[in-house]
Amino acid sequence: MRAFTYQSAGSAQAAVGGTSDKPGSSDKRGDGATVFLAGGTTLLDLMKLDVSRPAALIDIGEATQQLSVIEATAAGLRIGALAKMSAVANDTAVNRDYPVVAQSLQMAASAQLRNMASMAGNLLQRTRCSYFRDTTWARCNKRVPGSGCDALEGMNRLHGVLAVSEQCIASYPGDFANVFVALDGSVEVLGPRGARTIRAANLHLASGDSPAVETTLHPGELITALYIPSGPHTRRSAYVKVRDRQSYAFALTSAAVAMDLQGGTVRDVRIGLGGVAGKPWRSAEAEAVLRGQPFSEALASRAGEAAFARARTREHNAFKPQLGALTLVRALMQVHGMEV
Amino acid sequence: MAQDERKTEPDAAARIRETQASLARSRSAQAASVPLIGPSTARYESREKVTGQARYAGDVGPVGAAYAYAISAPVARGRITRMDVSDAQRVPGVLRIYDHQSMKGRVKPLAILGEGGYAATSLTPMSGPDIAHDGQIVGLVVAESYEAAREAANRVKLDIQATKPSACFGDPGLRTRPLSEVRKTKMWKDPKVGNADAAFSAAPLKVEAEYATPTQHHNPIELYSTTCMWSDGRLTIHEPSAGVNILKHGVAEQLGIVPELVDVISPFVGGMFGSKVAVTSRTVVIALAARDLGRPVKCVSTREQGFTNATHRAETRHKVKLSCGTDGRLASYGHEGSELTSRTDAYTVNGTQNTVHMYAWPALDTKVLMVEADRNTPGFMRSPPEVPYMFALEVAMDEMAEKAGIDPVKFRQINDAQTSTYENKRFTSRSVIQCLNQGATAFGWSRRNPRPGSMRDGDWLVGYGVAMASYPTVHVPAAVRVRVLADGTAAVQIAAHDPGTGAYTMAAMIAGQELGIDPQKVRVEMGDSRLPPGPLAGGSNTTASICNAIAQACSNIRVRLNVAPGQAVTMALTSGAVEEYLDWAPPGLEAAKAMTANYKGQPEFWGGAAGADALRFAFGAEFVEVRVHARTREIRVPRITGAFAAGRIMNKRTAHSQLMGGLIWGIGSALHEATEIDRRASKYVNDNIAEYLIPVNADIPAVEVIMIPEDDREANALGIKGVGELGNVGTAAAIANAVYHATGKRVRDLPIRIENLLPDVKRV
Ligand SMILES: Cc1cc2nc3c(=O)[nH]c(=O)nc-3n(C[C@H](O)[C@H](O)[C@H](O)COP(=O)(O)OP(=O)(O)OC[C@H]3O[C@@H](n4cnc5c(N)ncnc54)[C@H](O)[C@@H]3O)c2cc1C
């Protein structure tokens, strides 16, 4: 950890007022920049590991009251940026109307972390790639832009097979963001130059394309709320997470599925995949296979294959396309069998 | 060394003889009547522990302390050409930064424990520019705060001439030698009986397979920490240690001072599993820094640093050959084990010393090979020899049983050996058959359909598996002081250790029982090198060693006070106190020699296969159900049953906890725990407990522990065998066997993971 300045902001406006739009040297929200501190469960870890070296922290914990509503209306679900993961996971309306949202949060991290961590922080959590988190590795394009990637030929069991490249194969580790992008959510943002809305699909940049700069947020921009539109697919939805142990582990592979099923035919479907890609991943390929077709296990298998048709594997993650496809099939079968 | 000051008058002598005789009579009567499974007593310090009042070594924060942070080598092999501390020195609060030049010549070499020394590695800390393993301590920052020390350490720049390291089995540049050629002090002869090759060739049924176990780290929840302070030339070390006398003597030798000037204080140890016994590199450099600065220095290693500054379970490979007749009787056993070690030390667990006694094979041939790589020296970790070697043997047994078409429980019963073919020794007791029978009944083994892949529950494939556990019963010399006071209380002092196992409570229970007073009235002191030297916590010896020692001391007091058995000894005291200081040695050791070694912090182990008369071992049979998801192949263990016979159980509750903890540990060993290494760099990759997985609550739905009464007064006077390292032996094999039964896939390489069970992995 390096010396930094610290201030606390009681509102979104105060937080943004305290920032500068000076970008950091690697991740533009990181090194040498002004950085928001929410639950701290990603940020403080990385600071202690000397991976993240912000010049200034603005603690937004005091703005929690202002920024933690959970509001489910006929149009959609609005979640304050500082709502706790646990609060959203336990919310009755979320469990009833957006089971995939609730499940992705219930299966994430541990009870202690969920009580600490905010929804915006959850979206913006950073990769678990060991070569990123351990500064004794010389090559990491995320940490030291232009230095290369030690993970390519290293221990890469947890790494991505989609949205990765020779520059970086770090996987996006979170669960909820895959749901968020599949359900076409968006974030409301307040920055030094005012407010704007960013579609989830446009929020994260892929590790493979842009290792060091991970999002399209501008320096100094604060996420104030998350929004998920409701639809005929949101109730018939589920999250399946495959991991080495039963709880408290990142996904090897996961699948978020929301389906509008009418008389056995898939009218609409949304598919998110976790643990396999360099950013929160929505599989347009798998959705295309299913949309408009009568549902069957064979169709689900074809969707699984389509989802990973462009996968690029490495020595230790060679199993991921197959496991990812099976995970998706399992989620599709489960959702298909749901009574809603 | 005994400080017994009693003066014996003539008629008193006769009285004492009479008491002794009556004591002996009542002992044998008691032996028949005392239940072999003792009372269930909660640990006396449990309230202190759960309310955070128990003071662990790392809780010591002396006034005026400075804080140290170690600088770790970023490569596994190379030479430091320059260490630039200019940026680091500018961090406010930095007091001093050490490198190998400023430490050079200040630390004397120390041999490793078991080779005449006390250390975990024979590498002398910070003695030169050469790097022998990743994470080696190459510098130390001392500052006014932990944070400043850490920041400065992060700002140190190292110029290193790196060399390509050899990391693992199969890598170029390793050196492989038979253990029989490597051993420096203790001779090692690979066990062999008859002509195993010929028996194998001639047998109608054979299994020949290779097995592998990974590197594992202890990861006790309590981090490795050291606080050193000097006062008038005396050094006090607060460090979580399960070998306070080892640390005392080791650090004294490194510093070149007499051991009498070093005290080690470690009343509680927050888990250790073998990792806090030998002297690791950090202690002596912190002691030197504290002396230089003239103030206490405290250092708490990070979780990552613990992976390289302490020891670990070595990676192993095994070639096992079994053969049997069509009647299921084993004809031969072959086992070649290879163990990965460092280039500096040939640390070995040579598990064949114990596996050869498992079954009734007429011929056997074994070999242990040491493979030296650019790694830090491994060390003991819970059941060091058994975990890897029994895994290989017990999976091979399952494969052999299947070939013979015999149920794996029955197959083990057919081949039970009441006398070992190796050296023809009998066991003082061996309840393998009882463990198998009771375990199988409780588990419901009869419901098992022998055909692999035949059992299913909804989306889950179901498999049942069995394997044996065994662990040698060992003892270590122990000195103890027992004081009985006229107010009806007593005190026991012994520098033994309680790494959470319940040793304090056990000591109070045995003393209370032998003195005829309420155990709650016995004050026990442990974990302090100023106390009479007791056993290190290793080899599951503590209960057997300290209970025998304390019982003997108490009964000496009873004789001295001439109180009849069954009555409180305190009856005979109207004022003052009576004290007994006893040096207890296990019966098979030469007492005088054993004592001298004990007072030097070099405790000798006796028991297991070492007894000239017979073998001393505890056994168990473990039954598991696994479920493998039919589609996505997650492997879960909904229930596990272990039936164990381990002599007399002193405290039912803490023994149950040890065995249950062992079973859980075994599940982790089978499915979760593995330290991953980057082979190009010989660096650990998942060196944190987010990525180094151990089971969580959700992984352990049901654990059943059965303790089978076993009366074995020959193992030692009280008939106690150890349980701390019994429960986790064989568990991984039982799970591997159950996974095979569920899926038809035989996995011989741990841990067993989802990808091992997927139908077909396509590579791009
Ligand atoms: C051991 C462990 C296991 C875990 N397992 C899982 C898992 O299985 N699944 C899973 O999904 N997650 C998992 N996580 C990640 C965890 O969910 C995240 O760490 C957490 O959600 C981050 O939230 P926070 O509020 O603590 O963020 P912080 O650490 O405070 O912030 C994270 C990042 O977001 C930025 N930030 C925070 N709030 C805002 C805002 N409002 N606007 C702009 N920027 C902001 C910060 O500047 C920082 O860069 C795990 C974490 C740990 C430590």
Side-chain angles (χ1 to χ4, degrees):
Chain A
M1 197 178 277
R2 311 257 167 162
F4 55 88
T5 64
Y6 172 90
Q7 56 178 302
S8 180
S11 69
Q13 292 71 15
V16 172
T19 62
S20 90
D21 53 8
K22 178 176 162 285
S25 56
S26 58
D27 169 31
K28 62 183 174 184
R29 293 176 296 115
D31 268 21
T34 301
V35 165
F36 298 116
L37 171 66
T41 62
T42 288
L43 182 58
L44 297 184
D45 253 21
L46 291 175
M47 287 171 70
K48 289 180 197 169
L49 292 171
D50 207 30
V51 172
S52 207
R53 301 167 179 182
L57 289 190
I58 297 181
D59 187 341
I60 50 179
E62 305 251 303
T64 300
Q65 248 201 318
Q66 180 196 8
L67 298 178
S68 59
V69 298
I70 303 171
E71 208 173 52
T73 64
L77 176 65
R78 200 162 170 282
I79 302 168
L82 291 181
K84 300 293 183 207
M85 287 169 72
S86 53
V88 181
N90 297 333
D91 186 88
T92 315
V94 175
N95 276 278
R96 184 189 59 228
D97 299 338
Y98 305 85
V100 64
V101 171
Q103 289 165 16
S104 72
L105 292 164
Q106 285 153 6
M107 290 182 209
S110 65
Q112 292 90 334
L113 284 159
R114 294 194 294 270
N115 283 336
M116 205 57 204
S118 67
M119 291 298 290
N122 182 272
L123 280 179
L124 299 177
Q125 65 180 286
R126 305 190 67 188
T127 186
R128 298 294 304 190
C129 173
S130 305
Y131 300 91
F132 166 69
R133 291 172 61 87
D134 178 348
T135 59
T136 64
W137 292 101
R139 294 182 297 171
C140 174
N141 283 329
K142 245 184 207 315
R143 186 162 35 79
V144 187
S147 60
C149 173
D150 270 322
L152 293 177
E153 309 298 330
M155 284 300 303
N156 41 37
R157 182 170 183 260
L158 299 177
H159 289 68
V161 296
L162 296 165
V164 292
S165 73
E166 298 288 313
Q167 282 194 64
C168 179
I169 56 171
S171 60
Y172 176 81
D175 291 300
F176 165 74
N178 306 301
V179 178
F180 194 52
V181 72
L183 297 183
D184 198 17
S186 54
V187 290
E188 293 164 21
V189 165
L190 186 66
R193 272 174 272 159
R196 63 177 180 133
T197 298
I198 308 174
R199 271 186 68 196
N202 299 329
L203 178 63
H204 285 86
L205 299 169
S207 301
D209 302 332
S210 169
V213 179
E214 296 179 352
T215 72
T216 55
L217 287 171
H218 298 143
E221 274 188 331
L222 178 80
I223 297 177
T224 52
L226 290 65
Y227 182 75
I228 296 173
S230 79
H233 51 277
T234 41
R235 271 209 180 187
R236 182 184 292 280
S237 68
Y239 192 74
V240 169
K241 182 172 179 180
V242 173
R243 41 191 163 167
D244 290 314
R245 64 183 176 193
Q246 183 64 22
S247 175
Y248 200 11
F250 290 97
L252 286 174
T253 58
S254 69
V257 173
M259 191 187 281
D260 176 11
L261 189 70
Q262 305 265 330
T265 295
V266 181
R267 282 262 307 259
D268 192 10
V269 65
R270 307 299 176 85
I271 292 173
L273 299 173
V276 292
K279 64 173 184 176
W281 191 250
R282 176 171 176 183
S283 180
E285 297 90 339
E287 290 180 6
V289 169
L290 293 157
R291 206 168 277 129
Q293 301 296 316
F295 185 84
S296 69
E297 183 166 350
L299 183 73
S301 294
R302 282 216 303 285
E305 275 167 37
F308 289 93
R310 289 186 292 145
R312 308 297 297 170
T313 63
R314 295 274 158 186
E315 182 178 358
H316 304 105
N317 66 9
F319 67 94
K320 277 199 174 178
Q322 191 189 13
L323 185 61
L326 291 168
T327 308
L328 175 55
V329 174
R330 181 171 159 191
L332 286 165
M333 299 298 288
Q334 184 178 325
V335 162
H336 176 256
M338 272 175 81
E339 305 208 358
V340 292
Chain B
M1 250 144 298
Q3 296 176 351
D4 189 349
E5 296 146 19
R6 68 173 177 241
K7 292 190 189 69
T8 318
E9 294 152 26
D11 62 329
R15 263 205 341 259
I16 283 163
R17 272 197 304 278
E18 169 50 30
T19 315
Q20 264 166 339
S22 111
L23 202 63
R25 280 194 304 275
S26 99
R27 259 200 198 297
S28 39
Q30 213 187 354
S33 66
V34 162
L36 288 162
I37 311 287
S40 179
T41 306
R43 284 176 290 185
Y44 294 146
E45 72 282 10
S46 48
R47 176 175 290 269
E48 255 176 291
K49 284 191 169 172
V50 298
T51 54
Q53 287 171 57
R55 295 261 292 170
Y56 289 79
D59 295 330
V60 173
V63 180
Y67 295 83
Y69 193 93
I71 302 168
S72 310
V75 303
R77 193 172 176 185
R79 171 173 284 240
I80 300 169
T81 52
R82 202 171 81 101
M83 189 160 139
D84 177 0
V85 299
S86 50
D87 192 21
Q89 229 131 23
R90 279 194 287 271
V91 174
V94 168
L95 296 165
R96 196 167 300 191
I97 301 177
Y98 292 92
D99 63 4
H100 66 87
Q101 274 154 346
S102 48
M103 274 289 173
K104 197 180 167 81
R106 300 187 67 192
V107 181
K108 313 240 164 344
L110 188 65
I112 65 167
L113 195 64
E115 297 279 356
Y118 306 92
T121 166
S122 60
L123 210 61
T124 307
M126 293 174 65
S127 58
D130 292 327
I131 297 170
H133 66 82
D134 174 49
Q136 180 182 325
I137 297 180
V138 296
L140 189 79
V141 181
V142 189
E144 293 291 351
S145 71
Y146 175 79
E147 289 73 17
R150 181 174 56 188
E151 175 171 356
N154 285 338
R155 288 178 186 269
V156 169
K157 289 183 202 72
L158 291 167
D159 288 342
I160 293 170
Q161 240 168 25
T163 319
K164 177 129 185 68
S166 313
C168 290
F169 289 109
D171 286 352
L174 301 168
R175 181 161 78 152
T176 302
R177 290 185 292 166
L179 176 61
S180 50
E181 288 171 24
V182 180
R183 264 293 172 89
K184 289 187 200 120
T185 54
K186 281 175 270 167
M187 287 292 292
W188 170 253
K189 213 171 109 238
D190 288 310
K192 197 172 156 69
V193 173
N195 188 338
D197 270 352
F200 185 81
S201 305
L205 300 169
K206 314 171 212 274
V207 164
E208 185 168 7
E210 299 190 13
Y211 304 87
T213 65
T215 307
Q216 294 179 334
H217 276 80
H218 314 75
N219 279 315
I221 288 299
E222 179 199 33
L223 295 167
Y224 303 108
S225 76
T226 300
T227 303
C228 289
M229 49 190 109
W230 293 82
S231 162
D232 298 328
R234 280 193 84 79
L235 169 64
T236 303
I237 304 172
H238 294 271
E239 177 171 317
S241 167
V244 288
N245 277 296
I246 292 168
L247 191 57
K248 170 193 171 96
H249 285 85
V251 172
E253 192 170 323
Q254 288 177 310
L255 291 170
I257 61 176
V258 293
E260 288 70 25
L261 290 176
V262 180
D263 298 326
V264 176
I265 302 176
S266 172
F268 296 112
V269 179
M272 64 108 199
F273 317 109
S275 66
K276 292 170 181 167
V277 174
V279 181
T280 58
S281 300
R282 69 183 191 275
T283 314
V284 69
V285 291
I286 293 158
L288 285 167
R291 191 162 69 184
D292 293 349
L293 294 167
R295 58 195 277 198
V297 174
K298 176 171 177 171
C299 175
V300 181
S301 303
T302 63
R303 181 62 65 189
E304 294 75 29
Q305 290 172 334
F307 274 74
T308 50
N309 292 350
T311 63
H312 57 274
R313 191 192 294 286
E315 204 173 325
T316 67
R317 296 281 187 274
H318 305 262
K319 291 181 182 162
V320 178
K321 288 161 83 169
L322 286 176
S323 67
C324 73
T326 46
D327 58 355
R329 286 190 191 279
L330 285 165
S332 69
Y333 167 44
H335 197 150
E336 182 186 291
S338 298
E339 305 176 18
L340 203 71
T341 187
S342 64
R343 295 214 193 260
T344 44
D345 302 290
Y347 173 82
T348 176
V349 300
N350 47 295
T352 50
Q353 61 180 319
N354 295 336
T355 56
V356 293
H357 305 299
M358 274 309 295
Y359 298 108
W361 29 56
L364 64 95
D365 193 1
T366 66
K367 189 170 194 170
V368 175
L369 297 168
M370 300 307 302
V371 181
E372 293 159 29
D374 297 297
R375 301 277 288 265
N376 55 329
T377 303
F380 17 87
M381 179 163 158
R382 203 171 189 176
S383 341
E386 287 73 18
V387 163
Y389 282 80
M390 285 288 280
F391 166 70
L393 171 59
E394 286 297 295
V395 177
M397 284 293 285
D398 200 63
E399 301 192 48
M400 192 76 258
E402 193 191 22
K403 278 233 164 109
I406 299 173
D407 175 85
V409 171
K410 181 136 178 273
F411 185 66
R412 286 173 172 82
Q413 291 178 328
I414 293 174
N415 288 292
D416 185 41
Q418 287 297 321
T419 298
S420 169
T421 45
Y422 182 60
E423 295 182 337
N424 268 318
K425 281 190 210 166
R426 69 193 168 81
F427 290 84
T428 56
S429 60
R430 175 177 162 119
S431 310
V432 166
I433 305 275
Q434 294 87 326
C435 291
L436 282 164
N437 284 339
Q438 291 200 30
T441 304
F443 179 81
W445 183 256
S446 60
R447 292 197 298 271
R448 178 179 186 265
N449 177 340
R451 198 163 50 80
S454 62
M455 292 168 70
R456 188 166 174 147
D457 181 5
D459 286 338
W460 295 85
L461 310 174
V462 177
Y464 287 3
V466 63
M468 295 304 300
S470 88
Y471 199 79
T473 301
V474 295
H475 317 77
V476 177
V480 60
R481 180 184 289 120
V482 177
R483 230 173 117 75
V484 177
L485 289 87
D487 67 2
T489 66
V492 173
Q493 293 185 321
I494 182 166
H497 310 83
D498 191 330
T501 50
Y504 277 112
T505 308
M506 212 101 68
M509 287 168 73
I510 189 79
Q513 185 180 312
E514 297 292 321
L515 297 170
I517 64 176
D518 179 357
Q520 305 246 36
K521 294 204 163 148
V522 183
R523 196 161 57 88
V524 181
E525 285 177 69
M526 286 189 188
D528 189 325
S529 66
R530 295 166 298 186
L531 302 171
L536 75 161
S540 300
N541 86 84
T542 295
T543 306
S545 305
I546 72 170
C547 288
N548 278 292
I550 294 168
Q552 182 67 55
C554 293
S555 101
N556 289 356
I557 290 178
R558 181 174 294 281
V559 170
R560 277 167 60 189
L561 295 175
N562 193 25
V563 178
Q567 288 178 312
V569 294
T570 44
M571 256 180 36
L573 278 179
T574 47
S575 65
V578 57
E579 185 176 299
E580 174 81 9
Y581 188 104
L582 175 86
D583 282 306
W584 181 85
L589 290 181
E590 195 195 308
K593 204 172 129 248
M595 292 314 159
T596 312
N598 189 34
Y599 280 83
K600 283 194 195 145
Q602 293 277 3
E604 246 185 291
F605 280 77
W606 180 82
D613 51 343
L615 301 164
R616 287 162 175 80
F617 278 81
F619 291 94
E622 303 187 359
F623 296 80
V624 299
E625 176 179 326
V626 304
R627 293 191 167 218
V628 177
H629 195 275
R631 214 184 284 275
T632 43
R633 305 277 150 173
E634 293 102 310
I635 311 156
R636 302 290 184 254
V637 181
R639 64 193 185 98
I640 181 163
T641 298
F644 303 96
R648 178 171 170 197
I649 299 300
M650 289 298 300
N651 182 347
K652 193 174 166 187
R653 184 189 299 226
T654 51
H656 183 277
S657 292
Q658 286 297 308
L659 293 166
M660 176 173 68
L663 291 167
I664 295 167
W665 175 289
I667 293 172
S669 208
L671 301 176
H672 307 119
E673 284 196 54
T675 309
E676 285 162 356
I677 186 157
D678 185 301
R679 295 179 74 142
R680 300 164 303 173
S682 197
K683 280 161 73 75
Y684 299 135
V685 173
N686 59 339
D687 52 355
N688 62 76
I689 49 175
E691 267 90 17
Y692 181 98
L693 300 185
I694 55 168
V696 295
N697 276 324
D699 291 300
I700 311 294
V703 180
E704 182 183 22
V705 172
I706 299 165
M707 289 183 267
I708 296 171
E710 187 181 61
D711 194 358
D712 184 350
R713 300 289 158 149
E714 202 187 344
N716 53 59
L718 294 177
I720 298 167
K721 297 179 175 179
V723 295
E725 291 165 275
L726 179 61
N728 61 314
V729 177
T731 321
I735 291 171
N737 297 340
V739 165
Y740 173 74
H741 181 234
T743 64
K745 255 204 171 163
R746 183 66 75 179
V747 182
R748 301 185 180 88
D749 200 341
L750 294 178
I752 305 170
R753 283 178 163 166
I754 292 173
E755 56 264 41
N756 303 128
L757 302 180
L758 289 171
D760 162 40
V761 174
K762 276 180 259 149
R763 284 183 190 225
V764 179

